[in-house]
Amino acid sequence: MGRFHRHTDGTVHEHEHPDVRHDVGDHTGYRESGTVRVEVLENLLAENDRVAAANRLDLERAGVRCVNLMSSPGAGKTTLLRRTITALSGTLQLGVLEGDIATSLDADELASLGAPVSLVNTSAGFGGECHLDAVMVRSGLGRLALSDLDLLVVENVGNLVCPAEFDVGEDARAMVYAVTEGEEKPLKYPVMFRAADVIVVNKVDLLPHLDFRMDRFLGHLRDVNPHARVIHASARTGEGVDEWCAWLLHVHGTPTQRG
Amino acid sequence: MCQAIVDTVTAHASGRQVRRVTVRIGHLRQVVPDSLSFAWEVLTEGTELAGSELVVEHVPAVVECAACGERTTLDWPVLVCAACGAVDVRLVSGEEFQIASMDVAEEVP
Ligand SMILES: Nc1nc2c(ncn2[C@@H]2O[C@H](COP(=O)(O)OP(=O)(O)OP(=O)(O)O)[C@@H](O)[C@H]2O)c(=O)[nH]1
Ligand SMILES: [Mg+2]
Ligand SMILES: [Zn+2]
């Protein structure tokens, strides 16, 4: 099985077979004639990252800090945001970019609490509903008066896989994790747990009713991400919301006593 | 995710007939090869890429240890040296997410 292959026209092309396992359709040593292999070597996220950089620049110029808020479906992002808007009113002008078409009700409610909301339709295209990418966020930014804002929170689509792969131009990444999700999640979804700067461990009000072993969860979390800050919270009772808001203020650059 | 592959390949193909696309995906990415191949079929249907094959090359997660210098391969998503257990490791591979190559039909002169 040579690395080189002679074609009918006499040209020789190199077969590049790096030391990897072929998960699908192993084609080692096989190629039909009349085919040329073209090296591409392009990062699939290159285009996304270019647009993310443009978003970051626009936000920076407008003096807006941006937090990408991610979680599995229903972990409590919107509920936490509701509390956050109220808690920070008068301190920071918050804006919200919502990546979920099903939550126009949520959006109306967040807006009524005093935060401008930009809804981004993520349903276009196959599998397009599973995350926000930089291009979608860019379209959402266009509908916000950035100069009026201090901090923008992007509520990503509830999904533990795709959102972590896409930079949208944020300054920091936050993840809401609900204690109802089980202790093994960090090991099953390491990309997102590793990407997060802060993990809000939400729904702690339910702990008395669950056999959730917090130390086990925290151990798994430390294994994949030793640096993330952990905030125990309940968006229902309001516990931990102060600490979360202090972190947001820290991201914004506002000096606080608690930091 | 898959749309990004379609877009990039279409741009690089510039009209040539694409038979096979090889993507290289690191172990630490959470891309499931089967769902990617399925999405590829759905997405390319009716396009100039219809009928092309998507090949996923899996790249192992390899770390180099600052303490003992060993290079070890990880199964688990936990970044530790498999030789000595130190956590001060540098990721050598495993985060790849790229289009490696594509096989296009040779132009008949
Ligand atoms: N008990 C309890 N329930 C909560 C808490 N936070 C949120 N919930 C409930 O969990 C459900 C989902 O909350 P949301 O805030 O809509 O979650 P989300 O992450 O925005 O959901 P998606 O945007 O659909 O992914 C709602 O019924 C909330 O009332 C909490 O701290 N404790
Ligand atoms: Mg929500
Ligand atoms: Zn070592």
Side-chain angles (χ1 to χ4, degrees):
Chain A
M1 238 178 265
R3 277 166 59 80
F4 294 91
H5 176 83
R6 188 174 296 278
H7 282 260
T8 41
D9 65 353
T11 55
V12 173
H13 300 279
E14 190 175 353
H15 271 268
E16 234 232 323
H17 285 295
D19 183 25
V20 293
R21 175 157 59 89
H22 293 253
D23 274 320
V24 175
D26 191 317
H27 63 293
T28 310
Y30 157 73
R31 192 156 49 160
E32 64 268 73
S33 58
T35 303
V36 191
R37 172 152 295 188
V38 181
E39 290 265 314
V40 180
L41 289 181
E42 180 162 321
N43 186 329
L44 282 164
L45 295 171
E47 176 59 21
N48 182 76
D49 291 349
R50 272 190 288 276
V51 177
N55 291 349
R56 195 167 275 120
L57 192 65
D58 286 356
L59 287 162
E60 195 183 308
R61 284 205 181 117
V64 182
R65 294 282 165 180
C66 179
V67 171
N68 189 353
L69 186 62
M70 304 179 281
S71 83
S72 57
K77 300 180 295 300
T78 306
T79 312
L80 182 64
L81 277 179
R82 221 175 276 149
R83 291 251 178 210
T84 309
I85 293 166
T86 309
L88 286 177
S89 79
T91 311
L92 275 190
Q93 181 57 57
L94 215 69
V96 178
L97 198 147
E98 278 276 348
D100 193 338
I101 48 161
T103 56
S104 58
L105 273 177
D106 285 344
D108 293 343
E109 195 189 341
L110 295 179
S112 75
L113 291 173
V117 178
S118 178
L119 263 181
V120 177
N121 189 323
T122 58
S123 68
F126 180 88
E129 67 283 348
C130 63
H131 65 273
L132 280 173
D133 65 20
V135 175
M136 299 176 205
V137 167
R138 187 151 195 81
S139 74
L141 289 181
R143 292 190 289 272
L144 285 168
L146 291 184
S147 54
D148 296 343
L149 301 181
D150 299 311
L151 187 71
L152 177 69
V153 178
V154 174
E155 180 180 341
N156 219 308
V157 181
N159 177 347
L160 285 180
V161 180
C162 302
E165 306 278 7
F166 292 87
D167 179 8
V168 299
E170 70 272 15
D171 297 294
R173 291 174 165 193
M175 177 178 182
V176 178
Y177 161 85
V179 293
T180 45
E181 295 180 53
E183 299 98 346
E184 313 295 328
K185 277 278 163 78
L187 298 178
K188 289 183 184 154
Y189 301 93
V191 178
M192 182 169 293
F193 280 94
R194 191 174 294 130
D197 299 298
V198 65
I199 312 251
V200 176
V201 179
N202 192 34
K203 307 198 185 182
V204 294
D205 58 292
L206 297 177
L207 282 175
H209 312 286
L210 304 168
D211 54 4
F212 181 81
R213 288 152 298 175
M214 185 66 82
D215 52 338
R216 252 185 92 94
F217 164 74
L218 292 175
H220 294 325
L221 174 61
R222 286 296 165 235
D223 281 345
V224 300
N225 187 344
H227 308 294
R229 170 148 179 199
V230 175
I231 298 173
H232 296 258
S234 166
R236 174 150 299 169
T237 67
E239 180 182 345
V241 171
D242 285 2
E243 199 183 340
W244 159 248
C245 288
W247 181 80
L248 288 174
L249 287 166
H250 171 74
V251 169
H252 176 257
T254 310
T256 52
Q257 297 90 318
R258 309 153 147 273
Chain B
M1 190 69 61
C2 217
Q3 188 64 49
I5 308 178
V6 172
D7 293 346
T8 310
V9 168
T10 306
H12 280 273
S14 51
R16 290 174 294 185
Q17 192 207 335
V18 177
R19 294 196 173 144
R20 182 181 296 116
V21 176
T22 306
V23 294
R24 198 171 283 166
I25 295 177
H27 186 68
L28 297 177
R29 296 282 177 188
Q30 280 160 13
V31 179
V32 182
D34 283 343
S35 58
L36 203 60
S37 302
F38 172 72
W40 180 257
E41 259 176 54
V42 174
L43 270 180
T44 56
E45 211 181 284
T47 74
E48 53 186 284
L49 295 177
S52 62
E53 182 194 357
L54 186 73
V55 177
V56 180
E57 279 185 2
H58 176 268
V59 185
V62 176
V63 292
E64 186 176 270
C65 180
C68 76
E70 286 287 317
R71 278 194 178 199
T72 50
T73 300
L74 309 174
D75 290 329
W76 216 227
V78 179
L79 299 184
V80 293
C81 171
C84 76
V87 293
D88 189 6
V89 293
R90 182 178 68 83
L91 201 60
V92 177
S93 73
E95 287 195 310
E96 291 74 6
F97 196 33
Q98 59 172 208
I99 298 187
S101 63
M102 49 189 210
D103 295 347
V104 300
E106 225 158 6
E107 259 124 89
V108 187

